Amino acid sequence: MIEYSYKISGGGVTDFLTKPQRIIDLIENAGFEAYYVGGCVRDYYLNRSCDDIDIATSALPCELEKIFLDSGIKFFETGLKHGTITAVIDNENFEITTYRKDGEYVDSRHPENVNFVTSLSDDLSRRDFTVNAMAYSTKRGLVDLFHAKRDLDNKIIRAVGDADKRFKEDALRIMRAIRFSSVLCFDIEEYTKIALFRNKKLLEKISAERIFSELSKLLMGDNVFKVLMEYRVIIAVIIPEVEPVFYVSQNTKWHIYDVWEHTCRAVEKSPKDLALRLTMLLHDIGKAFSKTTDERGNDHFKGHQKISALYAEKVLKRLKVPNEIYDRVMFLVPIHDIHIGTDKINIKKWLSKIGERNLRDLIEVKRADKLAQNPDMTQQELVNLDITQSELDAVIEKGEPFSLKDLAVNGNDMLSLGLCGKQIGNALDLLLDKVINNELVNNRNVLIDYVRRMIP
């Protein structure tokens, strides 16, 4: 195996690695090796921002602790069993891990044990994909044992060594592969792809939290349409509820794609908001159970919205989706086909009924849905959605009243007029309706006078 070393011109690495470089310098000054490894090296070469900076070293954890104690650097033991120490500089955490080789994997996720080694090549050989198996040192340059730089240039995801072995060791790597394909817009190398499909059932052993974390990142990728289409059978392992719609045709003037392709396109067309992308992923899964075909051969999917919501609820709960996202998706799926209209009064009624956030979400969902349908039939509806959004923006900008809190009167005013109990709420609801319909001006004296005249 050949070790390729490159120097990055212009000292670019140190521009964004000033703090962790201090850690590396301390380790190297103590007589050990230390390298930037994994995703931060990959992202640097791709000119992408890097959230996490990982460092690998030949120093043992006890030796790292002594180095940090002597240098006055705060640290804590994050994963001592696996050789990881976290150093803290200016309230930023940096993980430093001793070179290691993994022991036997028995649960398709975690090694039974790890063995610390002094060879960087041993450490890199255990990693998942070539593009994550590079190391960089400002002194020694880039260490590329697996032609990762070539794969980066060619936009390829390739397993390190035996792809089957890598996925059997840790099945979550299957999701990571398609997530990287979605986020980086890379293709998956053929032998790695074959191994993905061959080992897909291993994903059933992975925790819901881990699956959802990878799925969330995948859904936000620029290449999400292609990945959802090409790796649908892998998606079906983690979300079996989507499989029935894979080959459900839509013989209707509104559609030119089958249900799954429509779904994938709708995900791609939606904003990069996880709740909205999950909504589009699940919005039509009920169509497999509601399809009917009339005597003319036209397909209908009556009631699919509610059926989709029932299945979406199962999916979201099983994946342990956070409550805020769960609530947004479960609000949107059953009403995604509902008509909003462009009339300002109706828009204010919708605002009164569901609130600004939900209405904006609904508009985006409907837009993504239409963009994934037959373009010959949806142009006017897309124009209408733009009008709806403009009218909504105008209502908010002008501060036009659409909720009880916007009224110029409140419950105390009603109480002073002699109303009590349900009468107060009924009176305020009536006033809001009159104001929204432009039948009354939102003026305190006008509203009080109207209620006074209404009292027998």
Side-chain angles (χ1 to χ4, degrees), residues 223-319:
N223 199 32
V224 64
F225 168 74
K226 182 178 178 181
V227 168
L228 290 177
M229 287 292 292
E230 187 169 2
Y231 300 100
R232 65 178 73 185
V233 296
I234 292 176
I235 301 300
V237 174
I238 63 172
I239 309 178
E241 291 83 355
V242 303
E243 188 169 9
V245 301
F246 282 170
Y247 306 104
V248 176
S249 60
Q250 301 187 94
N251 185 23
T252 160
K253 64 181 181 180
W254 298 102
H255 288 278
I256 56 176
Y257 309 112
D258 62 36
V259 176
W260 183 244
E261 184 168 351
H262 161 75
T263 295
C264 299
R265 290 183 182 277
V267 171
E268 179 189 42
K269 297 298 184 182
S270 62
K272 287 188 178 181
D273 177 304
L274 182 56
L276 298 183
R277 293 212 157 180
L278 275 170
T279 297
M280 303 322 297
L281 182 67
L282 302 173
H283 79 291
D284 274 353
I285 55 177
K287 281 190 170 180
F289 308 100
S290 60
K291 179 177 177 178
T292 60
T293 305
D294 63 27
E295 63 279 1
R296 290 186 248 180
N298 295 317
D299 295 332
H300 303 277
F301 302 92
K302 186 176 181 181
H304 78 274
Q305 304 90 336
K306 291 183 179 179
I307 299 173
S308 295
L310 291 174
Y311 284 103
E313 182 179 22
K314 293 180 182 179
V315 172
L316 298 175
K317 286 185 175 179
R318 188 175 64 250
L319 292 177

Side-chain angles (χ1 to χ4, degrees), residues 254 342 370 375-387:
W254 298 102
T342 58
K370 297 303 175 187
D376 292 337
M377 298 298 298
T378 56
Q379 287 307 305
Q380 187 55 53
E381 294 196 50
L382 288 168
V383 170
N384 288 345
L385 285 171
D386 289 341
I387 295 171

Side-chain angles (χ1 to χ4, degrees), residues 53 72 110 150 178 272 440 456:
I53 295 172
H110 304 98
R150 182 182 64 192
I178 61 175
K272 287 188 178 181
L440 287 175

Side-chain angles (χ1 to χ4, degrees), residues 362-378:
L362 182 57
I363 291 171
E364 294 296 351
V365 164
K366 292 183 69 63
R367 181 180 286 116
D369 201 10
K370 297 303 175 187
L371 287 169
Q373 295 177 7
N374 182 354
D376 292 337
M377 298 298 298
T378 56

